[in-house]
Amino acid sequence: MAFSGGYVFSAVISDKIISPLQSVNPGGAEKVDWDPATKTAFVITGEYTDDKGGQVVAVDYSNGYDQGEVVAEYYLEGDVSDVRVSSKGLVAASVFDRDTREGKVEFFNYEAGELISRGSVDVGFQPDQLSFTKKGHKLVTADEGEPLDFYGSDEAGQNPPGSISIIDINNKKPAKSDVNILYFTKNNSYYENNGVRMYGPEKSGNNKFARIDLEPEYVGITGNKTALVALQENNALAEVNLKKGKITGVFGLGYKDWSGIPFDTTDKDDGYNPSVKEGVTSARMPDGIDTFKTKLGGKKQILFISPNEGDGRVRPDDVNFEAEAAGVYSYGTNSTGAEIDSFVDPLNLIETIYIYDQAGVGSEGDFEAEEGDEFFITKKYGVSSDDEFWSDEVRAKDLEDFGDVSNYDSQIIAEGRLKTLADQNDPVTGNMVGFGGRGFSIHNNEGEVVYDSGNLTEEIAAELGYYPDGRSDDKGTEPETVEYFSFGKKKNKRHYIAVALERCYNNGDEDELGTIVPIFEVVDINAADNDDRVKHVATLQSPESLSPEGLLFVNDSKTSGHMFVTNEVSRTLDTYAISQADLG
């Protein structure tokens, strides 16, 4: 299904700016959760660094939301991807081995300013995001199972399976909790008939390809019975019955039709210069989804919000050598004492590879490089680029390699910059498919789109001087995650959505810092006009932060609360006070 285009957005952009009360640097900030009993925010720092694992950090706000203070930290062996606190106060963090992607969930109690380990349970490969049920009896993990370094080569076992783990929590002994790992076991045709995108080097002749291709990214739990799980690279969503412990459905999220909606597809035009393109759609590919209940078609329904970031299936962009200057280099397993760099071969893990800044010295051969070029070098495969073995991304200019491009939009072909899905472009119809919806959409419980923001997030970013033109050819503002919150009760309830725009920054700042998180009100999801369904009401703006990764809203009363924003690049945790009066 595709959202109908054919119009230009005319939505009003609010000039209301909300600044943070405080910005804390806990050593990294990717995801956050909140314990109301202790007034503590728990933050994870992410990747394994400096021979230490990722961290879970406790930030105490008992003296006020503008007085956050780091009071405890706990190092874990591996990359940490998420943290959640149950309604019973149990802290859980997802962690995985960066080489094998083997995953587990670590449990903690927070007592007297200290994080105390309660042990761990094994889950699927590369657990990404966690969600507790409302009563804290179950914990669901989206186990992404991303490809390893040699994905697309002839090395075996480079694509661990994606899965969804359901943990029945034993609160007295969390390490004894039961784990049920769900895999995608149906034949390829089932998923493809339901609109799921599957594309990879192992697909040919593999009727159970879905088991390794589907990549769960994010979990949204509705009540205590159902979980919705985003399958980002597959442009799809899975539904899980938590009581039965089964995946009950998987459906695609369709392609956004850009007909009549202007957007910018080149990073070479020195700014935001949108125009209408013909025959262009894009795969939504959401990351951090959220859910809420409202009336649709006269009855209460659960709707889910899709931040349409876009994310391709490529070999991991790990590199082991960057050229400091243009020239001819050589590499080999021989050391002369004149090498400029060395590292253990990432494939055989035995031999050391040495790099020389001149030709003919290294025993394995020569290669040319420009300043700043990055390479992944092994003895077996030689000097490779970061996407040498596999990529499903292709630039518009490179479509000529596949044949006639006369049916495609001439402006995009002339620019040659737009990044598209290699498996989705159609030279006969001229349909060109990009990555990500450059905004957010709201879907009903069957996956159908009931609202799409069109180019609104890009217009907001441009209006504020935060548009990332360097990403115009890629995925634009890249909405990373969303957070639903509400004010009021029952008939007077007002619904809001905050959208974290990962790639935006203050164009006037010499350090390219600055974070914006637009807030929208769902006014009338049943309105005939798309622009009357949702409106922009305010924007959170932090001048010293960069790259929002996680959002969390905490209600303090029926008409006020606080938003936490974790910023991956600046490694900061921002807090904002928000009241209904602020949002009109």
Side-chain angles (χ1 to χ4, degrees):
M1 68 196 76
F3 184 77
S4 59
Y7 58 89
V8 176
F9 271 66
S10 58
V12 175
I13 296 175
S14 170
D15 60 1
K16 175 68 176 181
I17 299 295
I18 302 175
S19 299
L21 296 173
Q22 185 191 28
S23 184
V24 178
N25 189 328
E30 292 199 12
K31 299 292 178 61
V32 61
D33 206 7
W34 175 255
D35 180 14
T38 61
K39 296 189 180 301
T40 304
F42 296 95
V43 184
I44 55 109
T45 60
E47 294 184 352
Y48 191 98
T49 56
D50 301 326
D51 295 325
K52 294 182 177 180
Q55 292 174 277
V56 176
V57 178
V59 185
D60 179 21
Y61 287 92
S62 59
N63 293 320
Y65 286 103
D66 60 347
Q67 299 293 318
E69 180 184 5
V70 175
V71 292
E73 60 185 16
Y74 195 102
Y75 281 96
L76 295 164
E77 295 183 3
D79 289 355
V80 186
S81 50
D82 198 14
V83 62
R84 285 291 181 266
V85 187
S86 79
S87 57
K88 299 183 183 300
L90 183 65
V91 181
S94 50
V95 60
F96 60 91
D97 184 284
R98 63 168 45 185
D99 294 321
T100 67
R101 302 286 198 268
E102 292 175 306
K104 59 183 177 180
V105 171
E106 296 269 356
F107 296 105
F108 304 90
N109 283 144
Y110 176 66
E111 299 173 3
E114 184 179 359
L115 284 161
I116 302 170
S117 175
R118 297 292 304 281
S120 67
V121 294
D122 293 335
V123 293
F125 289 94
Q126 195 178 346
D128 190 335
Q129 194 263 341
L130 310 171
S131 282
F132 277 104
T133 54
K134 187 175 182 179
K135 295 181 179 180
H137 296 320
K138 294 181 184 292
L139 176 66
V140 183
T141 75
D143 310 322
E144 190 170 8
E146 284 187 319
L148 305 179
D149 275 342
F150 293 90
Y151 180 68
S153 71
D154 58 7
E155 305 298 324
Q158 291 296 303
N159 191 2
S163 61
I164 299 164
S165 298
I166 303 174
I167 305 171
D168 288 313
I169 299 296
N170 181 333
N171 279 287
K172 292 183 178 180
K173 296 181 178 180
K176 298 293 184 181
S177 299
D178 292 331
V179 182
N180 181 16
I181 303 178
L182 310 179
Y183 295 98
F184 297 90
T185 57
K186 294 184 181 295
N187 291 339
N188 296 354
S189 57
Y190 167 81
Y191 300 103
E192 292 177 327
N193 290 340
N194 282 282
V196 179
R197 174 181 182 256
M198 296 194 298
Y199 182 57
E202 314 100 328
K203 184 178 179 182
S204 178
N206 182 358
N207 200 32
K208 296 288 187 178
F209 174 62
R211 177 180 170 87
I212 57 174
D213 187 67
L214 270 60
E215 295 187 2
E217 186 96 13
Y218 209 93
V219 180
I221 292 183
T222 59
N224 290 293
K225 299 179 180 179
T226 304
L228 298 177
V229 182
L231 312 173
Q232 184 172 28
E233 287 80 0
N234 309 99
N235 195 34
L237 199 78
E239 182 180 71
V240 180
N241 185 311
L242 299 179
K243 187 176 181 179
K244 295 181 178 179
K246 292 183 178 180
I247 299 171
T248 53
V250 179
F251 51 86
L253 293 175
Y255 294 81
K256 179 172 179 173
D257 183 359
W258 286 96
S259 299
I261 308 174
F263 71 118
D264 194 342
T265 58
T266 178
D267 58 339
K268 303 297 183 181
D269 57 356
D270 298 320
Y272 179 59
N273 297 294
S275 62
V276 174
K277 315 297 193 303
E278 297 298 329
V280 183
T281 59
S282 57
R284 291 188 167 86
M285 296 179 164
D287 194 339
I289 63 172
D290 205 353
T291 62
F292 70 106
K293 290 182 180 180
T294 191
K295 277 192 175 181
L296 181 63
K299 63 179 181 179
K300 282 280 188 179
Q301 284 198 34
I302 294 172
L303 306 183
F304 72 89
I305 312 156
S306 169
N308 301 318
E309 179 190 25
D311 196 11
R313 174 70 56 74
V314 296
R315 174 209 163 266
D317 58 358
D318 291 346
V319 296
N320 51 22
F321 176 69
E322 180 177 348
E324 294 186 357
V328 179
Y329 294 77
S330 61
Y331 74 105
T333 55
N334 58 312
S335 173
T336 69
E339 58 268 10
I340 60 170
D341 199 0
S342 64
F343 45 84
V344 175
D345 188 309
L347 181 57
N348 64 41
L349 302 177
I350 298 174
E351 294 179 286
T352 298
I353 293 177
Y354 301 91
I355 308 294
Y356 300 92
D357 58 359
Q358 54 185 305
V361 180
S363 58
E364 296 297 318
D366 302 337
F367 63 97
E368 294 184 359
E370 298 295 326
E371 181 180 354
D373 281 354
E374 296 180 330
F375 301 97
F376 184 68
I377 303 175
T378 61
K379 182 177 180 181
K380 179 176 180 179
Y381 294 104
V383 180
S384 307
S385 64
D386 61 359
D387 59 358
E388 181 80 15
F389 305 125
W390 174 262
S391 175
D392 59 1
E393 302 171 352
V394 58
R395 294 283 182 189
K397 65 180 177 63
D398 295 326
L399 290 175
E400 294 177 333
D401 296 338
F402 298 94
D404 183 17
V405 295
S406 59
N407 287 331
Y408 291 119
D409 185 280
S410 59
Q411 179 183 343
I412 293 180
I413 294 298
E415 293 171 346
R417 298 296 304 160
L418 182 64
K419 186 179 289 186
T420 71
L421 278 69
D423 59 313
Q424 297 290 315
N425 296 303
D426 189 338
V428 176
T429 64
N431 184 47
M432 188 180 297
V433 184
F435 285 90
R438 304 185 184 220
F440 69 98
S441 50
I442 301 174
H443 304 246
N444 65 18
N445 56 11
E446 295 179 351
E448 297 171 335
V449 178
V450 297
Y451 171 79
D452 188 279
S453 64
N455 63 1
L456 186 51
T457 64
E458 313 238 311
E459 293 284 333
I460 291 168
E463 180 75 15
L464 295 175
Y466 273 67
Y467 181 76
D469 187 49
R471 305 295 295 180
S472 292
D473 58 320
D474 201 338
K475 309 158 198 171
T477 55
E478 288 194 32
E480 172 77 14
T481 191
V482 292
E483 176 79 349
Y484 165 80
F485 63 99
S486 65
F487 290 137
K489 291 290 184 179
K490 295 182 179 180
K491 291 184 179 180
N492 296 320
K493 181 178 284 190
R494 296 176 67 174
H495 306 276
Y496 299 97
I497 298 169
V499 183
L501 303 181
E502 182 182 16
R503 294 292 182 172
C504 293
Y505 65 93
N506 183 352
N507 298 163
D509 185 82
E510 62 179 11
D511 295 320
E512 297 188 347
L513 291 174
T515 288
I516 57 173
V517 178
I519 297 176
F520 304 85
E521 181 175 5
V522 181
V523 180
D524 182 5
I525 204 67
N526 296 292
D529 192 324
N530 190 74
D531 289 338
D532 293 332
R533 296 171 192 165
V534 175
K535 68 176 182 180
H536 178 231
V537 292
T539 301
L540 308 181
Q541 182 175 321
S542 179
E544 299 300 321
S545 293
L546 184 63
S547 192
E549 180 78 11
L551 302 175
L552 179 71
F553 185 79
V554 177
N555 276 99
D556 299 321
S557 73
K558 293 180 180 179
T559 59
S560 67
H562 287 80
M563 183 76 76
F564 291 95
V565 181
T566 55
N567 301 281
E568 182 179 15
V569 175
S570 60
R571 305 168 73 85
T572 50
L573 172 64
D574 297 329
T575 52
Y576 298 82
I578 303 174
S579 70
Q580 187 167 305
D582 292 328
L583 307 182

